[in-house]
mmCIF file of all heavy atoms in Angstrom:
data_model
loop_
_atom_site.group_PDB
_atom_site.id
_atom_site.type_symbol
_atom_site.label_atom_id
_atom_site.label_comp_id
_atom_site.label_asym_id
_atom_site.label_seq_id
_atom_site.Cartn_x
_atom_site.Cartn_y
_atom_site.Cartn_z
ATOM 1 N N THR A 510 10.171 8.275 47.049
ATOM 2 C CA THR A 510 10.957 8.298 48.259
ATOM 3 C C THR A 510 11.274 6.782 48.790
ATOM 4 O O THR A 510 11.893 6.684 49.730
ATOM 5 C CB THR A 510 10.161 8.996 49.307
ATOM 6 O OG1 THR A 510 8.775 8.742 49.303
ATOM 7 C CG2 THR A 510 10.201 10.542 48.813
ATOM 8 N N GLY A 543 4.191 16.986 43.289
ATOM 9 C CA GLY A 543 5.550 16.647 43.878
ATOM 10 C C GLY A 543 6.398 17.832 44.420
ATOM 11 O O GLY A 543 7.586 17.820 44.608
ATOM 12 N N ARG A 544 5.603 18.933 44.649
ATOM 13 C CA ARG A 544 6.300 20.165 45.147
ATOM 14 C C ARG A 544 6.688 20.020 46.659
ATOM 15 O O ARG A 544 6.161 19.179 47.224
ATOM 16 C CB ARG A 544 5.585 21.398 44.919
ATOM 17 C CG ARG A 544 4.371 21.558 45.810
ATOM 18 C CD ARG A 544 3.319 22.610 45.427
ATOM 19 N NE ARG A 544 2.366 22.873 46.363
ATOM 20 C CZ ARG A 544 1.345 22.165 46.607
ATOM 21 N NH1 ARG A 544 1.109 21.021 45.923
ATOM 22 N NH2 ARG A 544 0.437 22.455 47.564
ATOM 23 N N VAL A 545 7.493 21.026 47.114
ATOM 24 C CA VAL A 545 7.873 21.242 48.450
ATOM 25 C C VAL A 545 7.404 22.633 48.841
ATOM 26 O O VAL A 545 7.943 23.622 48.227
ATOM 27 C CB VAL A 545 9.347 20.978 48.681
ATOM 28 C CG1 VAL A 545 9.660 21.316 50.152
ATOM 29 C CG2 VAL A 545 9.741 19.461 48.412
ATOM 30 N N HIS A 547 7.113 25.692 51.643
ATOM 31 C CA HIS A 547 7.917 26.365 52.792
ATOM 32 C C HIS A 547 6.942 27.200 53.505
ATOM 33 O O HIS A 547 6.753 28.322 53.075
ATOM 34 C CB HIS A 547 9.218 26.935 52.343
ATOM 35 C CG HIS A 547 10.164 26.096 51.763
ATOM 36 N ND1 HIS A 547 11.059 25.254 52.464
ATOM 37 C CD2 HIS A 547 10.423 25.650 50.382
ATOM 38 C CE1 HIS A 547 11.753 24.679 51.686
ATOM 39 N NE2 HIS A 547 11.422 24.821 50.586
ATOM 40 N N TRP A 566 5.836 18.130 38.736
ATOM 41 C CA TRP A 566 7.171 18.337 39.466
ATOM 42 C C TRP A 566 7.489 17.023 40.269
ATOM 43 O O TRP A 566 7.960 17.131 41.358
ATOM 44 C CB TRP A 566 7.095 19.561 40.328
ATOM 45 C CG TRP A 566 8.445 20.074 40.796
ATOM 46 C CD1 TRP A 566 8.860 20.348 42.045
ATOM 47 C CD2 TRP A 566 9.498 20.419 39.989
ATOM 48 N NE1 TRP A 566 10.163 20.845 42.032
ATOM 49 C CE2 TRP A 566 10.554 20.818 40.687
ATOM 50 C CE3 TRP A 566 9.763 20.387 38.457
ATOM 51 C CZ2 TRP A 566 11.827 21.284 40.076
ATOM 52 C CZ3 TRP A 566 10.939 20.769 37.944
ATOM 53 C CH2 TRP A 566 11.983 21.184 38.815
ATOM 54 N N ARG A 577 17.087 15.291 37.648
ATOM 55 C CA ARG A 577 17.005 15.817 38.956
ATOM 56 C C ARG A 577 17.704 14.977 39.946
ATOM 57 O O ARG A 577 17.937 13.823 39.714
ATOM 58 C CB ARG A 577 15.531 16.098 39.286
ATOM 59 C CG ARG A 577 14.764 16.947 38.404
ATOM 60 C CD ARG A 577 13.324 17.106 38.677
ATOM 61 N NE ARG A 577 13.117 17.616 39.967
ATOM 62 C CZ ARG A 577 12.091 17.399 40.586
ATOM 63 N NH1 ARG A 577 11.025 16.655 40.243
ATOM 64 N NH2 ARG A 577 11.835 17.976 41.944
ATOM 65 N N PRO A 578 17.970 15.401 41.222
ATOM 66 C CA PRO A 578 18.733 14.703 42.155
ATOM 67 C C PRO A 578 18.233 13.204 42.283
ATOM 68 O O PRO A 578 18.928 12.271 42.463
ATOM 69 C CB PRO A 578 18.742 15.425 43.350
ATOM 70 C CG PRO A 578 18.731 16.874 42.851
ATOM 71 C CD PRO A 578 17.783 16.855 41.689
ATOM 72 N N VAL A 579 16.844 12.938 42.470
ATOM 73 C CA VAL A 579 16.267 11.731 42.635
ATOM 74 C C VAL A 579 16.756 10.823 41.571
ATOM 75 O O VAL A 579 16.767 9.464 41.790
ATOM 76 C CB VAL A 579 14.751 11.878 42.673
ATOM 77 C CG1 VAL A 579 14.191 12.397 41.360
ATOM 78 C CG2 VAL A 579 14.053 10.511 43.047
ATOM 79 N N ALA A 596 23.767 16.655 46.542
ATOM 80 C CA ALA A 596 22.573 17.488 46.233
ATOM 81 C C ALA A 596 22.433 18.469 47.419
ATOM 82 O O ALA A 596 22.697 18.003 48.600
ATOM 83 C CB ALA A 596 21.248 16.675 46.098
ATOM 84 N N VAL A 597 22.336 19.674 47.190
ATOM 85 C CA VAL A 597 22.263 20.819 48.310
ATOM 86 C C VAL A 597 20.822 21.312 48.372
ATOM 87 O O VAL A 597 20.259 21.751 47.365
ATOM 88 C CB VAL A 597 23.307 21.968 47.974
ATOM 89 C CG1 VAL A 597 23.202 22.947 49.072
ATOM 90 C CG2 VAL A 597 24.657 21.233 47.621
ATOM 91 N N THR A 598 20.373 21.399 49.495
ATOM 92 C CA THR A 598 18.989 21.710 49.853
ATOM 93 C C THR A 598 18.996 23.236 49.810
ATOM 94 O O THR A 598 19.827 23.991 50.326
ATOM 95 C CB THR A 598 18.457 21.402 51.170
ATOM 96 O OG1 THR A 598 18.416 19.957 51.174
ATOM 97 C CG2 THR A 598 16.957 21.866 51.364
ATOM 98 N N ARG A 599 17.862 23.914 49.089
ATOM 99 C CA ARG A 599 17.861 25.370 49.003
ATOM 100 C C ARG A 599 17.810 25.998 50.338
ATOM 101 O O ARG A 599 16.808 25.433 51.063
ATOM 102 C CB ARG A 599 16.706 25.711 48.046
ATOM 103 C CG ARG A 599 16.831 25.389 46.558
ATOM 104 C CD ARG A 599 15.652 25.606 45.985
ATOM 105 N NE ARG A 599 15.586 25.392 44.386
ATOM 106 C CZ ARG A 599 15.300 24.204 43.931
ATOM 107 N NH1 ARG A 599 14.919 23.149 44.796
ATOM 108 N NH2 ARG A 599 15.388 23.967 42.686
ATOM 109 N N ALA A 605 9.518 23.004 55.816
ATOM 110 C CA ALA A 605 9.342 22.231 54.429
ATOM 111 C C ALA A 605 8.187 21.319 54.589
ATOM 112 O O ALA A 605 8.326 20.297 55.426
ATOM 113 C CB ALA A 605 10.642 21.521 53.995
ATOM 114 N N ALA A 607 6.032 18.569 52.378
ATOM 115 C CA ALA A 607 6.172 17.815 51.167
ATOM 116 C C ALA A 607 5.182 16.587 51.131
ATOM 117 O O ALA A 607 4.773 16.160 52.257
ATOM 118 C CB ALA A 607 7.666 17.245 50.955
ATOM 119 N N GLY A 608 4.814 16.064 50.066
ATOM 120 C CA GLY A 608 4.017 14.904 49.954
ATOM 121 C C GLY A 608 4.727 13.687 49.581
ATOM 122 O O GLY A 608 6.069 13.675 49.491
ATOM 123 N N TRP A 610 5.026 12.154 46.845
ATOM 124 C CA TRP A 610 5.575 12.180 45.524
ATOM 125 C C TRP A 610 6.783 13.195 45.428
ATOM 126 O O TRP A 610 7.401 13.409 44.394
ATOM 127 C CB TRP A 610 4.688 12.471 44.453
ATOM 128 C CG TRP A 610 3.572 11.432 44.296
ATOM 129 C CD1 TRP A 610 3.760 10.195 43.424
ATOM 130 C CD2 TRP A 610 2.220 11.295 44.809
ATOM 131 N NE1 TRP A 610 2.566 9.535 43.580
ATOM 132 C CE2 TRP A 610 1.764 10.233 44.470
ATOM 133 C CE3 TRP A 610 1.544 12.189 45.746
ATOM 134 C CZ2 TRP A 610 0.423 9.718 44.768
ATOM 135 C CZ3 TRP A 610 0.263 11.892 46.034
ATOM 136 C CH2 TRP A 610 -0.234 10.683 45.703
ATOM 137 N N SER A 611 7.042 13.871 46.549
ATOM 138 C CA SER A 611 8.104 14.886 46.474
ATOM 139 C C SER A 611 9.393 14.418 46.896
ATOM 140 O O SER A 611 9.586 13.519 47.744
ATOM 141 C CB SER A 611 7.658 16.009 47.630
ATOM 142 O OG SER A 611 6.473 16.474 47.398
ATOM 143 N N TRP A 612 10.565 15.017 46.336
ATOM 144 C CA TRP A 612 11.863 14.711 46.739
ATOM 145 C C TRP A 612 12.319 15.864 47.518
ATOM 146 O O TRP A 612 11.546 16.820 47.704
ATOM 147 C CB TRP A 612 12.692 14.602 45.578
ATOM 148 C CG TRP A 612 14.058 13.868 45.688
ATOM 149 C CD1 TRP A 612 15.255 14.455 45.861
ATOM 150 C CD2 TRP A 612 14.293 12.464 46.260
ATOM 151 N NE1 TRP A 612 16.306 13.560 46.086
ATOM 152 C CE2 TRP A 612 15.698 12.365 46.390
ATOM 153 C CE3 TRP A 612 13.546 11.577 46.509
ATOM 154 C CZ2 TRP A 612 16.337 11.195 46.812
ATOM 155 C CZ3 TRP A 612 14.033 10.239 46.828
ATOM 156 C CH2 TRP A 612 15.381 10.146 47.152
ATOM 157 N N THR A 613 13.560 15.822 48.075
ATOM 158 C CA THR A 613 13.914 16.972 48.833
ATOM 159 C C THR A 613 14.062 18.148 47.921
ATOM 160 O O THR A 613 14.351 17.951 46.636
ATOM 161 C CB THR A 613 15.216 16.603 49.405
ATOM 162 O OG1 THR A 613 16.273 16.294 48.501
ATOM 163 C CG2 THR A 613 15.137 15.583 50.544
ATOM 164 N N ASP A 614 13.944 19.351 48.470
ATOM 165 C CA ASP A 614 14.035 20.631 47.557
ATOM 166 C C ASP A 614 15.425 20.960 47.391
ATOM 167 O O ASP A 614 16.005 21.876 48.011
ATOM 168 C CB ASP A 614 13.318 21.731 48.394
ATOM 169 C CG ASP A 614 13.003 22.930 47.486
ATOM 170 O OD1 ASP A 614 13.113 22.747 46.278
ATOM 171 O OD2 ASP A 614 12.820 24.016 48.112
ATOM 172 N N SER A 615 16.140 20.176 46.545
ATOM 173 C CA SER A 615 17.553 20.224 46.486
ATOM 174 C C SER A 615 18.052 20.314 45.034
ATOM 175 O O SER A 615 17.167 19.852 44.127
ATOM 176 C CB SER A 615 18.321 19.179 47.099
ATOM 177 O OG SER A 615 17.853 17.808 46.582
ATOM 178 N N ILE A 616 19.170 20.842 44.674
ATOM 179 C CA ILE A 616 19.785 20.785 43.183
ATOM 180 C C ILE A 616 21.254 20.496 43.480
ATOM 181 O O ILE A 616 21.872 20.581 44.471
ATOM 182 C CB ILE A 616 19.575 22.106 42.645
ATOM 183 C CG1 ILE A 616 20.253 23.215 43.375
ATOM 184 C CG2 ILE A 616 18.173 22.475 42.346
ATOM 185 C CD1 ILE A 616 20.279 24.569 42.445
ATOM 186 N N GLU A 630 22.246 22.383 54.044
ATOM 187 C CA GLU A 630 22.062 20.936 54.245
ATOM 188 C C GLU A 630 22.503 20.264 52.880
ATOM 189 O O GLU A 630 22.058 20.581 51.774
ATOM 190 C CB GLU A 630 20.550 20.569 54.390
ATOM 191 C CG GLU A 630 20.022 21.159 55.782
ATOM 192 C CD GLU A 630 18.698 20.761 55.966
ATOM 193 O OE1 GLU A 630 18.134 19.920 55.262
ATOM 194 O OE2 GLU A 630 18.075 21.310 56.863
ATOM 195 N N GLU A 632 23.169 16.654 50.980
ATOM 196 C CA GLU A 632 22.974 15.191 50.944
ATOM 197 C C GLU A 632 23.912 14.695 49.967
ATOM 198 O O GLU A 632 24.169 15.106 48.789
ATOM 199 C CB GLU A 632 21.511 14.819 50.409
ATOM 200 C CG GLU A 632 20.475 15.500 51.351
ATOM 201 C CD GLU A 632 19.165 15.123 50.707
ATOM 202 O OE1 GLU A 632 18.943 15.009 49.487
ATOM 203 O OE2 GLU A 632 18.218 15.000 51.548
ATOM 204 N N TYR A 634 24.498 11.036 47.984
ATOM 205 C CA TYR A 634 23.938 9.717 47.615
ATOM 206 C C TYR A 634 25.055 8.824 47.208
ATOM 207 O O TYR A 634 25.907 9.229 46.441
ATOM 208 C CB TYR A 634 22.900 9.816 46.471
ATOM 209 C CG TYR A 634 21.902 10.930 46.735
ATOM 210 C CD1 TYR A 634 21.396 11.649 45.515
ATOM 211 C CD2 TYR A 634 21.490 11.219 47.886
ATOM 212 C CE1 TYR A 634 20.436 12.581 45.668
ATOM 213 C CE2 TYR A 634 20.319 12.284 48.062
ATOM 214 C CZ TYR A 634 19.925 12.959 46.818
ATOM 215 O OH TYR A 634 19.088 13.968 46.929
ATOM 216 N N ARG A 658 22.186 7.408 51.745
ATOM 217 C CA ARG A 658 22.210 8.788 51.885
ATOM 218 C C ARG A 658 22.904 9.212 53.192
ATOM 219 O O ARG A 658 22.763 8.765 54.282
ATOM 220 C CB ARG A 658 20.839 9.416 51.993
ATOM 221 C CG ARG A 658 20.627 10.863 51.907
ATOM 222 C CD ARG A 658 19.126 11.356 51.995
ATOM 223 N NE ARG A 658 18.250 10.351 51.629
ATOM 224 C CZ ARG A 658 17.192 10.754 50.923
ATOM 225 N NH1 ARG A 658 16.982 11.953 50.550
ATOM 226 N NH2 ARG A 658 16.287 9.812 50.664
ATOM 227 N N LYS A 660 24.334 12.784 55.381
ATOM 228 C CA LYS A 660 23.904 14.082 55.453
ATOM 229 C C LYS A 660 24.974 14.943 56.256
ATOM 230 O O LYS A 660 25.591 14.503 57.136
ATOM 231 C CB LYS A 660 22.605 14.081 56.186
ATOM 232 C CG LYS A 660 21.399 13.431 55.553
ATOM 233 C CD LYS A 660 20.164 13.656 56.229
ATOM 234 C CE LYS A 660 18.892 12.869 55.527
ATOM 235 N NZ LYS A 660 17.657 12.999 56.195
#
Side-chain angles (χ1 to χ4, degrees):
T510 50
R544 75 191 188 283
V545 177
H547 296 271
W566 201 233
R577 300 174 64 203
V579 61
V597 183
T598 302
R599 295 177 178 87
W610 294 278
S611 308
W612 197 248
T613 56
D614 191 20
S615 59
I616 61 173
E630 296 180 10
E632 301 179 330
Y634 309 145
R658 191 181 329 221
K660 297 182 179 180

